[in-house]
Amino acid sequence: MTNTIGDLEEADVILITGSNTSENHPVISSYIKRAVKFNGTQLIVVDPRRIKMTTFASHWLRQNLGTDVAWINGLMHVIIQEELHDKAFIDSRTKGFEELKAMVEKFTPEYVEEITGIPAQQLIDAARLYAGAKNAAIVYCMGITQHISGTDNVKSLANLAMLTGNLGNAGGGVNPLRGQNNVQGACDMGGLPNVFSGYQPVTSDAVIQKMEAAWGVTGLSNKVGLKVTEMIPKALEGELKALYIIGENPLVSDADLNHVVKGIDNLDFLVVQDIFMTETARAADVVLPSACFAEKDGTFSNTERRIQRVRKAVDSPGEARDDWWITTQIAKRMGVDMDYENAEAIMAEIAQVTPSYGGITYDRIDFEGLHWPCPTADHPGTPILHKGQFPIGRGNFHAIDFTPPAESTDEEYPLYLTTGRVIYHYHTGTMTRKSEGLNERVPENFVEISSKDAKAFGVSDGDTIEISSRRGKISAVAKVCTTAVSGTVFIPFHFAESAVNMLTSAALDPVSGIPEYKVCAVKLAAAQ
Amino acid sequence: MDAQNTIVINGNELPFTPGETILQVAQRNSIPIPTLCHLKNATPTGQCRICVVEVKGARSLVASCAAPAAKGMVVLTESPKVIEARRLVLQLMLSSGNHNCAVRVSDDQEWSRFQLDVNQYDQSNELCPVWGDCELQHLAYQYQVSAERFPRTDVPYPMEDINPFIVRDFSRCIKCGRCVQACNDVQVNNAISFGYRGTDTKIIAAEDKPLKNSECVFCGECVQACPVGALVEKNARYRVRPWETKQVRTTCSYCGVGCQLNLHVKEGKVVKVTGVEDVAPNYGSLCVKGRFGFDFINSEERLTTPLIKEDGEFRKASWEEALSLTAEKLGAIKQTDGPDAIGVLTSARVSNEDNYVANKFARAVLKTNNIDHCARL
Ligand code: SF4
Ligand code: SF4
Ligand code: SF4
């Protein structure tokens, strides 16, 4: 997030898109709902489903799946047309405005309606509302990123914020909500193929030299590595021979599961480190038991870049050990000494080699976490990014055209499927499905379907039905409800025994490598 | 300091900012005024009348939670009148329903009858589930009142425990309304409200349905707000008494909000979770996963030893054996096929420290940049 969670209560207008906030980030949704209820904040929701947040919104725009660039360009078209853009901000802080203007020229409300299904007048109203606000915040989540055009979608939202001067201001900004507790931290700490911790590029000689000196090693690779979505095909081709998987369950979470299973099977060696015998661990040659969050000291970085303490409350069961300890023990047996006395000693090294974490110590974050960038011991942290200036100097507008999603419906597969989560479960369910209470609330997989579609396909509430795509099929219980909009069904991805990712498409965003989980074509049939 | 904007509380002259209530000025200056219905950060309702104070020149006592400080005001927080008023409020509260804690001093026979009654309602022969951790009990002790003054009245509503998370015990509800504010004004889930009238008043969900059939999403904000034993976590009820536990503050391990929570630990196990008040990002709020989704920690299915697969079956192994085998295999593949034949998937679930070490392992030990995590998925 460019801004903080608390900052949302300062916004005059909030635009939520691709985030089922009340289910996936409940506590953030409360900030937004309070802003609407008590501060008169106006809420715009752009979402293909009639999610709970739409009941708090003054404007709900329902777009066709995978058409986000089109409506965002449409908003910008109206804003420029009606001269609602922030000229001072554009002049002093950005470049590329003319190219953007030329690109959005053709995205008239009527043209956008054709692509997205959003009535022209609704688009115009939303544009006026967003651009007319003093401070307008954008909130988004996986509904924006899990598309082949995910990177384009994100850049388009940044365009929209810059166009209206909504960066660097309290109550504004572009705010991605991170799904998992420490996605932010995994990225910050170099859990990415192209950067060391703090986003220092592996392709920079200066960075390589610095890291070699800090770590006391030579021969660090300056070649960008494989993304997870590239590793699987490489495993299938036999080029990738071994995988060391820490705390992840790609055998449920990855798009086009059949493909993933084959890739994993083809490895010479798989080692999985986890707290449970997950579907992925079952496929391993060696399984290493690790400690869960309640059993370890350390830090997580939340979605607003706040680095917060994790503290050991109980002992881990049996011989389970801290993840970092296990990794350093393997390192030692491969001839590299990576000894740390404790997690705090690791943080000291992180601060030393990671500029944005330079000022972080356990003492400083003992009561309340700090927002990175926090480069020095006396730096107060950075709650709001891009105040006064961008790190790259001027912010770049990206002129982006609309590309349709990879898959569309046809006679055989007449319905769109989109995926996501429910409030009672989390990710692949390895943790939440062990909780009796959470399981009792949502015990089994379901498919959300509108009453109109239900009628058209002869489905009744509670029926077990078979859903198939061009890649596979699963069965699930039909839930006829008003959240679903006709033409599109929804299935959550928490359930290994009926994994929706058997159906999803593995078409990838060419830049981020994120699969298009949010759009594929399916058909329904009564279960055999 | 603007000399105009001061009030005198118990003889101390104290500055205030316009709009502040008497209660806020007192709290800021560590002058205790008891409250029951007051919920921090929500609009005061003045419902319970426990926070009354005496204001010189005012005809009656005023509720300090709702009365704004005015310049020159002279306030007494514990005068004889105030104490008498608070005692009366407490006596009335204690006379209604099943407050079977130590404050109900009475003759032995009456107590026995009462206790047996309550036991039947509770389906338990213990004292109230929040005995020793109750704001009403605490005040009753402070003001030395018991339930004897007024005849006992029964509460006609049965306990509701048909959802997995929260037990609603109407017999112990003092109708303070904190839960209603927690649900409607803090979490804005709009699940519960005041229903019926007068002595029949009940906190209801939808048209008096069980919580599980209402808008309730089991965030538990109401439970954390309830000052008495009317709303209690089902998994902690009777099982966890605060003096048996220690609390460890940490960060929720589910979503990216990073809520601050207290793990309540009893005999080496996490038995209850509450939100940490007064600190960002959640100021005490949690969702159902953070508050109730901790069973996995104590799950029987946790992995407890390293495992090695032989002929398609796992067998237990020592750390030494498992680590050596892993190092040997990875080393051999690195040797024959090169570092880039190995990949590391680190995790959006584990700590920064764990991730940093995984990143260093891939780059400095394996010598590959093939490292990623599934978070983008
Ligand atoms: S658990 Fe949450 S949603 Fe349910 S009644 Fe309590 S505050 Fe409202
Ligand atoms: S349930 Fe608790 S918080 Fe709600 S009104 Fe009754 S006593 Fe107050
Ligand atoms: S309590 Fe709920 S909202 Fe808060 S971090 Fe945990 S999962 Fe997220």
Side-chain angles (χ1 to χ4, degrees), chain A residues 26 28 30-31 33-34 37-38 52 146 178-183 185 187 189-193 195-196 202 215 218-221 223 225-228 231 241-248 254 274-277 281-287 289-290 292-293 295-296 298-299 301-304 306 308-311 314 317 319 321 323-324 326-327 329 333 338 340 343 347 349-350 353 362 367-368 423-424 426 431-432 434-437 441 512 514-515, chain B residues 164-165 184-190 212 215-218 246 248-260 263 265 268-270 279-283 285-289 292-293 295-297 299 301-309 314 319-320 322-327 329-331 333 337 340-361 363-367 369-377:
Chain A
I28 290 184
S30 294
Y31 276 86
K33 293 186 281 185
R34 282 198 299 268
K37 180 164 180 178
F38 297 109
K52 182 77 124 324
Q146 290 179 342
R178 304 299 198 147
Q180 290 165 283
N181 59 321
N182 203 28
V183 185
C187 297
M189 291 299 106
L192 291 169
V195 289
F196 293 95
V202 297
W215 287 347
T218 54
L220 293 182
S221 165
K223 188 178 131 217
L226 299 173
K227 297 178 186 121
V228 51
M231 288 184 196
K241 307 241 180 253
L243 259 180
Y244 173 22
I245 301 181
I246 301 170
E248 290 284 4
D254 276 26
D274 211 311
I275 61 175
F276 286 114
M277 182 58 84
R282 239 169 249 131
D285 299 291
V286 176
V287 175
S290 58
C292 81
F293 85 108
E295 297 148 5
K296 60 165 100 169
T299 55
S301 298
N302 80 349
T303 188
E304 50 170 0
R306 194 195 287 272
Q308 308 193 101
R309 274 304 311 277
V310 173
R311 293 184 187 82
V314 293
E319 295 173 42
R321 301 296 301 256
D323 286 285
W324 65 263
I326 303 172
T327 309
Q329 291 300 311
R333 286 166 181 74
M338 273 171 52
Y340 299 98
M347 183 48 85
E349 183 175 314
I350 293 170
V353 303
Y362 280 10
F367 178 68
E368 192 159 78
I423 194 168
Y424 296 104
Y426 177 75
M431 284 151 62
T432 48
K434 306 253 173 350
S435 157
E436 259 177 61
R441 293 297 293 167
S512 69
I514 299 178
Chain B
F165 307 111
N184 293 272
D185 298 350
V186 180
Q187 289 264 354
V188 204
N189 289 327
N190 305 333
K212 66 178 184 136
E215 288 290 299
C216 174
V217 290
F218 299 101
K246 76 169 187 205
V248 179
R249 187 177 144 188
T250 192
T251 302
C252 178
S253 72
Y254 284 110
C255 86
V257 181
C259 291
Q260 294 300 291
L263 301 178
V265 179
K269 290 208 161 80
V270 176
V279 63
N282 52 313
Y283 298 96
S285 293
L286 295 175
C287 78
V288 64
K289 292 185 288 290
F292 295 110
D295 289 356
F296 77 92
I297 302 170
S299 165
E301 293 171 44
R302 285 286 301 275
L303 292 169
T304 55
T305 63
L307 301 168
I308 290 175
K309 197 179 270 168
F314 282 116
W319 271 114
E320 185 51 52
L323 292 166
S324 299
L325 177 67
T326 304
K329 289 277 190 186
L330 294 178
I333 291 170
D337 301 283
D340 290 339
I342 308 175
V344 176
L345 286 185
T346 181
S347 172
R349 315 301 328 286
V350 303
S351 70
N352 287 328
E353 290 74 4
D354 296 330
N355 272 298
Y356 174 80
V357 167
N359 132 82
K360 185 170 173 181
F361 176 79
R363 298 185 154 111
V365 180
L366 300 177
K367 301 277 169 65
N369 288 316
N370 290 344
I371 175 167
D372 202 353
H373 59 280
C374 294
R376 46 183 79 219
L377 307 183

